[in-house]
Amino acid sequence: MAKAERIRIYDVARVAGVSVATASKALNDTGRMTEQTRERVKQTAAALGFRPNAMARALTQQRSFTIGLLTNDTYGRFTLPVMAGVAEALVDQGVSVFLCGIEDDAALGQIHVDAMRDKQVDGIIAAGKRIDRRLPVDLSNLAIPVVYVFTEGPEDAITLVSDDEQGAREAVEWLVQLGRKRVVHITGPASFASVAAREAAYRDVVGAGAQVLNGPWSEAWGHEAVARLWDGAGPHPDGIFCGNDQIARGVVDALRERGVDVPVDVSVVGFDNWEIVAAATRPPLSTVDMNLKEMGREAGRLILQLAEGKAVSAGIRKLPCKLLVRQSCGSALRASHSNGEARLGI
Amino acid sequence: MAKAERIRIYDVARVAGVSVATASKALNDTGRMTEQTRERVKQTAAALGFRPNAMARALTQQRSFTIGLLTNDTYGRFTLPVMAGVAEALVDQGVSVFLCGIEDDAALGQIHVDAMRDKQVDGIIAAGKRIDRRLPVDLSNLAIPVVYVFTEGPEDAITLVSDDEQGAREAVEWLVQLGRKRVVHITGPASFASVAAREAAYRDVVGAGAQVLNGPWSEAWGHEAVARLWDGAGPHPDGIFCGNDQIARGVVDALRERGVDVPVDVSVVGFDNWEIVAAATRPPLSTVDMNLKEMGREAGRLILQLAEGKAVSAGIRKLPCKLLVRQSCGSALRASHSNGEARLGI
DNA sequence: CAACGTTGATAAAACGGTTTCTCAAGCATC
DNA sequence: GATGCTTGAGAAACCGTTTTATCAACGTTG
């Protein structure tokens, strides 16, 4: 039952009674011919189930309708949503995506980059998990367009990152508007650029009395930070802005174990909107969503433009984050409901 | 600085002073010629940095050195490790992987399958998240080899799944060997085939006194199940085998909140080894690892053989699981340490 | 020395499309 | 009626490889 032979344009031309050249032009809406001929060829092709061989087409057109997605984010925390967005933006154009995970292995990275070049990809999207770290490959003079997402690129690169400062600002302002007077910031290692950006926004909003605790990106650190805050002297916080959802979950769990009510006594907001963590926290975590999928879509659009030869201005583009309000920061007067979750527009 | 022109085999031939045909054969180790000529061509190619155009090559060879990975597992819980294994098995052979996420959208699936056909993929790996559900696409008469991983395929398909029964058996036997007398099973919805398989193994090991609680695959269900067991009449369990890590985490959290000590009073084992959940649980969760990466490697090997025209016997292949002992089931006499974790061989 | 294998290398034909060039026919213009 | 322009279509070149068929040169053999 399997169809062994694929239909070639040669077959279409023969059946439609035209030359191969005419058939090609008819199907691609190029060249000149009577509308009647064009239509006849198209119908013949459809009837025969003709699909052009992408390899042959790529050979002449110098376009493979293929792009490479290079990433060192094996676990997929950041890359998967990005990937989904990229694919979504490109599938309509018939562009497929090579996924290449390279860990932090420069040699493996080179292998994949070489493979991409051999396969004539129209562009490469380099995606990472830190905006202040580079992938272990050099893509700078490649004759192929490159877009950097969530990773550091060369000076004159086209780079997409989330607007950490804006996202953090929204989160902290939300806590303040809820009436919280003592908001502290429990976050990751100070060496991360995003930690600095979020901290800066936090400090800017709360002004005097800011307190920042740095530690690892783990639930355990959330527990420990709560211990420090509650076991130490001085008044306890009534609002906690966490650097990511894992820390936030640790914080919420620790507070519950101490009998501190979230969100009645303390409001907690996370960062990342990692569903598996944020949604399973009790109560579900309000958090800042980085719109990774939209970043992927934008990356897809950009790489497509570049592949088509259009110019795209270089530089770093910060895409806005969105505060996602769940139950961990208290009943919010301003929250408008949708799908059981309240979203605060950007 | 960017190299505009790519080196073609034509250039290599000219510089080496041979014909294109000879150059091709020299580089592919085919044909006949003096070893001297072959070496000269190879060195010329290396010096010029020649890399063959994969499109052109695919056109003649009828092999694109490309495979498609089709999946409906958007979150990547199952697919990402599989993907990593597939890529690992294929990268040496110069084979690249198209990743195509299709949710449960049949139309989208068809688009991706068509795109793969157009791009002449040498094979398709269909990966899912349930062994008893099919992807919403028909790959049965495609003239392209297909391997099914963690999803249901046609009767005569080549299918890879984890050996749930064996994994569950190891987990429950481990609990029994630790001296646990009342082991219950808290698991997912009975409609899942893997739930049935794990339950069967559990019942087989514990014999009379088996108790199974079905619910959703969530932490919340873990909490609720513990409430039922501890608030109800009768003796409390001293061992709990959970259907997945999320349930297990809910169970462990619930027990801690009740003051029940894990692992002193109760031993808990999960299933899946979803690191983000299992490792963050306090104490870290013993769990059954499904060896997804190895499944991916095996899928890669199989699709490669099929692409090369070799025959592969059809049928369902169950790959063994591995019990991963952490701290949630108590000090294990038999546990041998490695990397701070004890692994029990299969 | 004629017939015959081998050997090393090349010319040319694929592969399946796209694109450029050429050309005959039809028609308007002067 | 000769000239020129437009239109519709096809022949052929091309993209960059691989592969097949061909062939000259060179022993070997009878």
Side-chain angles (χ1 to χ4, degrees):
Chain A
M1 183 56 51
K3 311 270 279 188
E5 297 302 324
R6 245 189 109 109
I7 308 284
R8 294 153 308 164
I9 198 170
Y10 174 86
D11 302 313
V12 176
R14 185 169 39 74
V15 173
V18 296
S19 70
V20 178
T22 303
S24 173
K25 284 182 282 202
L27 296 173
N28 293 303
D29 281 325
T30 59
R32 290 180 315 200
M33 69 195 65
T34 51
E35 197 49 45
Q36 184 192 347
T37 305
R38 198 183 291 282
E39 198 51 41
R40 178 159 43 93
V41 173
K42 282 185 176 177
Q43 290 187 359
T44 309
L48 263 48
F50 168 72
R51 303 214 47 139
N53 180 322
M55 298 291 148
R57 176 176 260 176
L59 202 52
T60 53
Q61 290 196 151
Q62 310 290 31
R63 272 201 67 185
S64 62
F65 288 88
T66 282
I67 69 126
L69 180 52
L70 204 63
T71 175
N72 66 344
D73 176 29
T74 307
Y75 208 114
R77 163 74 193 85
F78 297 102
T79 293
L80 268 188
V82 171
M83 167 88 197
V86 170
E88 191 178 308
L90 298 181
V91 69
D92 302 325
Q93 323 294 323
V95 175
S96 305
V97 180
F98 282 124
L99 183 49
C100 307
I102 61 170
E103 310 282 335
D104 287 306
D105 183 337
L108 185 57
Q110 192 58 49
I111 289 175
H112 274 125
V113 171
D114 287 343
M116 289 182 188
R117 292 188 55 198
D118 295 349
K119 282 164 183 147
Q120 314 287 120
V121 296
D122 300 333
I124 294 179
I125 294 177
K129 44 191 173 183
R130 278 187 70 168
I131 60 174
D132 52 354
R133 283 286 183 279
R134 297 186 179 228
L135 296 188
V137 286
D138 181 18
L139 305 170
S140 52
N141 39 15
L142 212 53
I144 301 175
V146 180
V147 169
Y148 295 82
V149 179
F150 226 84
T151 190
E152 190 183 354
E155 199 59 42
D156 59 343
I158 297 165
T159 306
L160 296 178
V161 298
S162 60
D163 192 341
D164 284 313
E165 197 272 352
Q166 167 265 340
R169 178 177 303 273
E170 290 205 6
V172 181
E173 282 176 349
W174 180 253
L175 288 172
V176 170
Q177 283 171 20
L178 286 171
R180 298 309 184 176
K181 301 299 179 192
R182 249 191 78 64
V183 178
V184 305
H185 184 32
I186 304 174
T187 186
S191 59
F192 282 68
S194 52
V195 166
R198 295 170 194 173
E199 174 177 339
Y202 158 78
R203 287 188 186 278
D204 194 42
V205 173
V206 302
Q211 185 179 2
V212 176
L213 287 79
N214 293 101
W217 291 117
S218 66
E219 288 189 37
W221 164 235
H223 278 91
E224 188 187 325
V226 165
R228 284 199 209 164
L229 288 168
W230 261 259
D231 291 344
H236 299 157
D238 59 0
I240 303 179
F241 170 47
C242 298
N244 78 353
D245 287 348
Q246 287 165 276
I247 293 174
R249 169 147 197 189
V251 164
V252 170
D253 283 351
L255 290 175
R256 185 176 49 252
E257 284 170 18
R258 286 175 178 265
V260 178
D261 190 309
V262 175
V264 174
D265 300 330
V266 179
S267 293
V268 178
V269 177
F271 209 107
D272 285 354
N273 189 28
W274 195 356
E275 291 278 347
I276 181 62
V277 177
T281 304
R282 294 171 309 141
L285 214 50
S286 293
T287 185
V288 177
D289 188 303
M290 292 186 287
N291 272 316
L292 292 169
K293 194 166 180 183
E294 178 55 28
M295 268 173 70
R297 273 191 287 258
E298 182 65 13
R301 283 183 220 118
L302 288 172
I303 207 73
L304 207 58
Q305 296 198 5
L306 290 165
E308 287 166 356
K310 297 175 192 157
V312 172
S313 60
I316 296 177
R317 300 165 187 227
K318 292 189 180 179
L319 271 61
C321 301
K322 197 191 290 178
L323 179 65
L324 199 56
V325 177
R326 294 200 185 88
Q327 284 102 69
S328 69
C329 50
S331 63
L333 297 174
R334 276 180 40 191
S336 62
H337 276 269
S338 82
N339 295 340
E341 288 174 344
R343 282 165 195 268
L344 187 64
I346 48 172
Chain B
M1 183 56 52
K3 312 271 277 189
E5 296 303 324
R6 245 189 110 109
I7 308 283
R8 294 152 309 167
I9 198 172
Y10 174 85
D11 302 314
V12 175
R14 186 169 37 74
V15 173
V18 296
S19 72
V20 180
T22 303
S24 173
K25 282 184 284 205
L27 295 173
N28 292 306
D29 282 324
T30 58
R32 290 180 315 200
M33 69 195 66
T34 52
E35 197 49 45
Q36 182 192 349
T37 305
R38 197 182 290 283
E39 197 53 39
R40 177 158 44 91
V41 173
K42 282 186 176 176
Q43 289 187 359
T44 308
L48 263 47
F50 167 73
R51 303 213 47 137
N53 180 323
M55 298 291 150
R57 176 176 261 177
L59 203 51
T60 53
Q61 291 196 151
Q62 308 292 33
R63 271 202 66 184
S64 63
F65 287 88
T66 282
I67 69 125
L69 181 52
L70 204 63
T71 174
N72 66 344
D73 176 29
T74 306
Y75 209 114
R77 163 72 192 88
F78 297 102
T79 293
L80 269 186
V82 171
M83 166 89 197
V86 170
E88 192 178 306
L90 298 181
V91 70
D92 302 326
Q93 323 294 323
V95 176
S96 304
V97 179
F98 282 124
L99 183 49
C100 307
I102 61 169
E103 310 282 336
D104 287 305
D105 183 338
L108 185 57
Q110 192 57 49
I111 289 175
H112 274 126
V113 170
D114 287 343
M116 289 182 186
R117 293 187 54 197
D118 294 349
K119 280 163 184 148
Q120 314 287 120
V121 296
D122 300 333
I124 294 179
I125 295 177
K129 44 191 172 181
R130 280 186 70 168
I131 60 175
D132 51 353
R133 283 287 182 277
R134 297 186 177 225
L135 298 188
V137 285
D138 181 19
L139 305 170
S140 52
N141 40 13
L142 214 51
I144 301 175
V146 180
V147 170
Y148 295 82
V149 180
F150 225 84
T151 191
E152 191 183 353
E155 199 59 42
D156 58 342
I158 297 165
T159 306
L160 297 178
V161 298
S162 59
D163 192 341
D164 284 312
E165 197 271 354
Q166 166 264 343
R169 178 178 303 273
E170 290 205 6
V172 181
E173 282 177 348
W174 180 253
L175 289 172
V176 170
Q177 282 171 20
L178 285 171
R180 298 308 184 176
K181 302 299 181 195
R182 250 192 77 64
V183 178
V184 305
H185 185 31
I186 305 175
T187 187
S191 59
F192 281 70
S194 51
V195 165
R198 295 169 194 173
E199 174 178 338
Y202 157 78
R203 288 189 185 277
D204 194 40
V205 175
V206 301
Q211 184 178 5
V212 176
L213 289 80
N214 293 101
W217 291 117
S218 67
E219 290 190 36
W221 163 235
H223 279 89
E224 189 188 324
V226 166
R228 285 198 207 162
L229 288 169
W230 260 259
D231 292 344
H236 299 157
D238 58 0
I240 303 179
F241 170 48
C242 299
N244 78 352
D245 287 346
Q246 285 165 277
I247 293 174
R249 171 148 195 189
V251 164
V252 170
D253 283 351
L255 290 175
R256 186 174 48 251
E257 284 168 20
R258 288 178 176 264
V260 178
D261 192 308
V262 174
V264 175
D265 300 331
V266 179
S267 293
V268 178
V269 178
F271 209 107
D272 285 355
N273 189 28
W274 195 355
E275 291 278 347
I276 181 63
V277 176
T281 304
R282 293 171 311 142
L285 213 51
S286 293
T287 185
V288 177
D289 188 304
M290 291 184 288
N291 273 316
L292 292 169
K293 193 167 180 182
E294 178 56 27
M295 269 174 70
R297 273 190 287 259
E298 181 65 13
R301 283 183 221 117
L302 288 173
I303 207 75
L304 206 58
Q305 296 197 5
L306 290 165
E308 286 165 358
K310 296 174 192 156
V312 171
S313 60
I316 296 177
R317 301 165 188 226
K318 292 190 180 179
L319 271 61
C321 302
K322 197 191 290 177
L323 179 65
L324 198 57
V325 177
R326 295 201 183 89
Q327 284 102 69
S328 69
C329 51
S331 62
L333 296 174
R334 276 179 41 190
S336 61
H337 275 270
S338 80
N339 295 338
E341 288 174 341
R343 280 164 198 270
L344 186 63
I346 49 172

